[in-house]
Amino acid sequence: MSAPARKTSTIGIRLACVQLMQQLLGSSGSMTRLLPEAQSRVAEREQAQLQAWAYGFARYSGELAGIVDQLLDKPLKKKDLDVYLLMQLGVFQLRHTPTSAHAAVDETVKVVKQLKKPWARGLINAVLRNYQRRAEELEAALTDVQRLSHPQWLLSRLQNDWPEQWQDICEQNNTQGPMTLRVNLRRGTVEGYRQRLSTAGIASQPVADAPAALRLDSPVPVAQLPGFEVGDVSVQDAAAQLAAGYLARYCPEGGRLLDACSAPGGKSAHALESGSFAHVVALDQDASRLERVEATLSRLGLTDNCQLQAVDAADIAQWWDEVPFDAVLLDAPCSGTGVIRRHPDIKLLRRDSDIDTLAALQASLLDSLWQTLRPGGLMLYATCSILKRENEQQIAAFLERTADAEALGESRQILPGESGMDGFFYAPLRKQGG
Amino acid sequence: MSLLDILYYPDAQLRRTASAITNVDGKIAKLADQMLDTMYAAPGIGLAATQVNVHERLVVIDVSEENDAPLVLINPEILTSEGEEEMQEGCLSIPGVYESVKRPAIVRVAAIDREGNPFELDADGLLAVCIQHEIDHLDGKLFVDYLSPLKRNRIRKRMEKWIRDGADLDDIPERP
């Protein structure tokens, strides 16, 4: 027999994917950091596939483990985590991808050779074939933690904060967020850009609430976006685009803006594009992330109006020239629980204890940066969290302890998937006097 | 390393039924080795003795990625089979032709190895398909026999023309 029409082998991608998951579970870093390294170990044409599998795997990790556990007579040894993950990857493909069942099983089994664990061959084969036979029964036996692929601590917090909506939230978290663009209104109109997209064969829809936004019907590489390189457009979720609306509404006179935790720079860029602010001071603690802010601003031709500094914003003695700001945007470090659909590894990496640590950090940023705001000025507190501890409770406590702070209207909690947006929180605050 | 000549469809020799091997001796071992060399060189993943015009029940197989898992099956026999799977098959005796064939997905096979020891083997996936394909050869059967007569005829005509033109493996006709 001659080999069937040469299919490309997926063994390399599978191996890289299992190794990446091992690193994630060992808390060696986030997906954003580890993926490029993993991609460098596979062929260029395999990189998109690896990314899709790795994100899917992280997204459904709880469910996959729950299914494989039911199929194993006894748990595998710790040193055989790779075999355990390989089985989960096989189940992932059978459940969530159009890979043919034969390829999913056959190619998965072949990876044992690369792992130098030939003994696992029969076991993996049996687990995957049993899954195919018993899928429905295995699914029915999953717990909520497994079925929704959310760790217990997070599920408990969501159930507590959102007794009516937690199921929907979890399901939304397990989808893939749409690709949303922010049209540079200095360069053209939203409708004009929509037509350019349509000419390029890319369908898009406007988004209520976010006047500069266009949501793509299906994602495309940024290189295919007309005028991306010259700054006609940026990629930014509609929820993040609401920041500029708050700044324009409550600080229409513009002036000087502090963006305290600015990376990757989208909100500063948007504020400058909208034109009300003459000058922006953009800080970020992480110098390498600040480089991305610079890249974004220079692509959009906005560097002249912006001053970048890699510092800890809370340490105001170190960076502040004591000239008060007209507005402060505090897009605070947070749990990221509103953007799990874009960063499913959050479910694997975060621990319950992180929430208290983050809440303390947010409180300290609120207190220090409040001092840099002029009386009468606006502070916009924002997170991409959906936990009340980081959001409405955080703001309530701040207002309680800060005599000259007042809430400007209602804060807004956007839950993931609401109008197609990421989960986000905004609280506009005014400093009395002035 | 000496390579054997492979018969091409529709050669009538491919329709002969091979006879059982009664004595696994050095001659059979040498034939198995030559068949493996021929198969790897083709390149292929399975070869039956029938295809090299030896009408004895011997097949060689290697479905591994790295060509490092040779399998010699003497007097192979399918004990049980289950399931159904459809896979693209090709054949070293019908170069350039690939068609989907439905076969049982999992088979249990009994055979004798190169050293003369009997053994049993459970196979699925590509290996299961390959074993069945090769055992068919020993019975004078080809994978094109599973296709419609119309399709088979078209393939036969194309092969006859290719052989008339000199059977140049670097010039295999395009798939229709």
Side-chain angles (χ1 to χ4, degrees), chain A residues 173-237:
Chain A
N173 286 348
N174 290 344
T175 61
Q176 287 181 48
M179 182 169 181
T180 306
L181 308 181
R182 182 186 79 238
V183 178
N184 187 349
L185 297 180
R186 284 185 158 190
R187 301 263 194 144
T189 64
V190 170
E191 193 43 46
Y193 193 76
R194 193 176 173 205
Q195 267 158 26
R196 287 173 69 187
L197 283 175
S198 155
T199 310
I202 302 169
S204 64
Q205 315 301 331
V207 182
D209 286 358
L214 282 175
R215 184 170 292 139
L216 303 190
D217 290 4
S218 49
V220 299
V222 288
Q224 286 178 23
L225 296 172
F228 177 82
E229 282 310 321
V230 295
D232 292 350
V233 74
S234 303
V235 177
Q236 189 181 37
D237 190 72

Side-chain angles (χ1 to χ4, degrees), chain A residues 1-6 9 11 101-102 105-107 110 113-114 125 129 133, chain B residues 44-46 65-66 68 85 87-88 90-92 98 124-126 130 133-134:
Chain A
M1 180 166 163
S2 57
R6 262 287 162 230
S9 155
I11 293 176
H102 168 260
V105 178
D106 225 49
E107 299 259 292
K110 280 183 188 157
K113 196 163 186 179
Q114 258 69 21
N125 215 340
R129 295 210 179 275
R133 275 195 286 273
Chain B
I45 56 173
E65 295 283 321
E66 297 88 2
D68 57 358
E85 187 149 38
M87 207 188 281
Q88 285 248 314
C91 182
L92 294 178
Y98 294 90
D124 63 5
L126 183 58
C130 190
H133 176 115
E134 300 313 331

Side-chain angles (χ1 to χ4, degrees), chain A residues 128-382:
Chain A
L128 295 182
R129 295 210 179 275
N130 273 329
Y131 166 69
Q132 287 177 286
R133 275 195 286 273
R134 297 172 47 202
E136 278 182 36
E137 161 207 348
L138 296 167
E139 276 159 36
L142 294 174
T143 65
D144 279 344
V145 164
Q146 295 170 336
R147 182 174 59 85
L148 298 168
S149 285
H150 278 58
Q152 182 61 57
W153 70 267
L154 179 55
L155 197 63
S156 304
R157 280 187 186 264
L158 292 176
Q159 285 168 335
N160 196 47
D161 284 357
W162 307 102
E164 304 288 327
Q165 299 97 328
W166 62 272
Q167 294 245 29
D168 286 345
I169 292 173
C170 291
E171 278 158 23
Q172 279 297 328
N173 286 348
N174 290 344
T175 61
Q176 287 181 48
M179 182 169 181
T180 306
L181 308 181
R182 182 186 79 238
V183 178
N184 187 349
L185 297 180
R186 284 185 158 190
R187 301 263 194 144
T189 64
V190 170
E191 193 43 46
Y193 193 76
R194 193 176 173 205
Q195 267 158 26
R196 287 173 69 187
L197 283 175
S198 155
T199 310
I202 302 169
S204 64
Q205 315 301 331
V207 182
D209 286 358
L214 282 175
R215 184 170 292 139
L216 303 190
D217 290 4
S218 49
V220 299
V222 288
Q224 286 178 23
L225 296 172
F228 177 82
E229 282 310 321
V230 295
D232 292 350
V233 74
S234 303
V235 177
Q236 189 181 37
D237 190 72
Q241 295 187 36
L242 302 186
Y246 278 104
L247 293 171
R249 187 175 332 141
Y250 292 116
C251 192
E253 64 279 15
R256 195 158 162 264
L257 169 71
L258 170 67
D259 185 355
C261 309
S262 62
K267 295 188 192 69
S268 272
H270 193 184
L272 286 166
E273 280 170 13
S274 324
S276 51
F277 290 94
H279 193 77
V280 173
V281 174
L283 311 178
D284 205 278
Q285 196 163 8
D286 184 336
S288 63
R289 279 170 50 82
L290 203 64
E291 280 171 23
R292 286 186 58 197
V293 181
E294 188 162 22
T296 299
L297 293 171
S298 88
R299 181 177 60 84
L300 296 165
L302 297 168
T303 34
D304 288 352
N305 315 67
C306 203
Q307 175 194 333
L308 303 175
Q309 226 179 320
V311 286
D312 170 11
D315 186 3
I316 56 173
Q318 203 197 324
W319 62 267
W320 188 39
D321 57 6
E322 307 213 352
V323 180
F325 289 97
D326 299 296
V328 172
L329 169 60
L330 172 51
D331 186 6
C334 70
S335 60
T337 41
V339 292
I340 286 176
R341 57 185 194 165
R342 299 194 192 280
H343 303 282
D345 51 323
I346 287 172
K347 298 189 291 187
L348 305 174
L349 299 174
R350 284 264 175 252
R351 299 286 172 265
D352 196 23
S353 57
D354 294 345
I355 306 303
D356 280 346
T357 312
L358 286 164
L361 177 62
Q362 291 151 3
S364 111
L365 281 164
L366 276 164
D367 291 339
S368 340
L369 295 173
W370 192 252
Q371 301 168 50
T372 69
L373 186 62
R374 75 163 163 82
L378 165 76
M379 176 183 272
L380 181 62
Y381 176 80

Side-chain angles (χ1 to χ4, degrees), chain B residues 4-156:
Chain B
L4 306 167
D5 285 332
I6 297 175
L7 299 177
Y8 295 121
Y9 176 71
D11 194 313
Q13 295 297 314
L14 288 170
R15 295 304 186 181
R16 284 176 59 176
T17 303
S19 38
I21 293 171
T22 46
N23 190 15
V24 179
D25 54 14
K27 250 173 67 188
I28 293 295
K30 187 175 172 221
L31 174 62
D33 292 344
Q34 287 180 325
M35 281 172 57
L36 279 167
D37 288 342
T38 305
M39 175 190 83
Y40 287 133
I45 56 173
L47 186 68
T50 308
Q51 292 174 277
V52 293
N53 210 8
V54 176
H55 301 280
E56 302 195 55
R57 300 191 81 82
L58 166 63
V59 309
V60 297
I61 289 174
D62 188 343
V63 295
S64 72
E65 295 283 321
E66 297 88 2
N67 289 345
D68 57 358
L71 200 57
V72 175
L73 302 180
I74 295 165
N75 298 340
E77 215 178 315
I78 291 176
L79 300 177
T80 58
S81 55
E82 59 177 288
E84 188 179 75
E85 187 149 38
E86 193 167 336
M87 207 188 281
Q88 285 248 314
E89 294 186 25
C91 182
L92 294 178
S93 293
I94 318 173
V97 175
Y98 294 90
E99 294 290 344
S100 266
V101 176
K102 257 189 219 166
R103 296 183 188 270
I106 304 172
V107 292
R108 165 165 279 243
V109 186
I112 298 170
D113 70 13
R114 191 178 170 281
E115 276 71 49
N117 307 307
F119 68 102
E120 284 185 14
L121 172 73
D122 288 316
D124 63 5
L126 183 58
L127 179 59
V129 170
C130 190
I131 289 174
Q132 296 174 77
H133 176 115
E134 300 313 331
I135 292 178
D136 273 355
H137 276 304
L138 302 181
D139 295 326
K141 200 164 183 191
L142 297 163
F143 86 96
V144 290
D145 297 347
Y146 296 95
L147 309 176
S148 71
L150 188 74
K151 227 176 194 176
R152 189 165 55 247
N153 256 328
R154 214 162 42 205
I155 293 169
R156 185 172 51 79

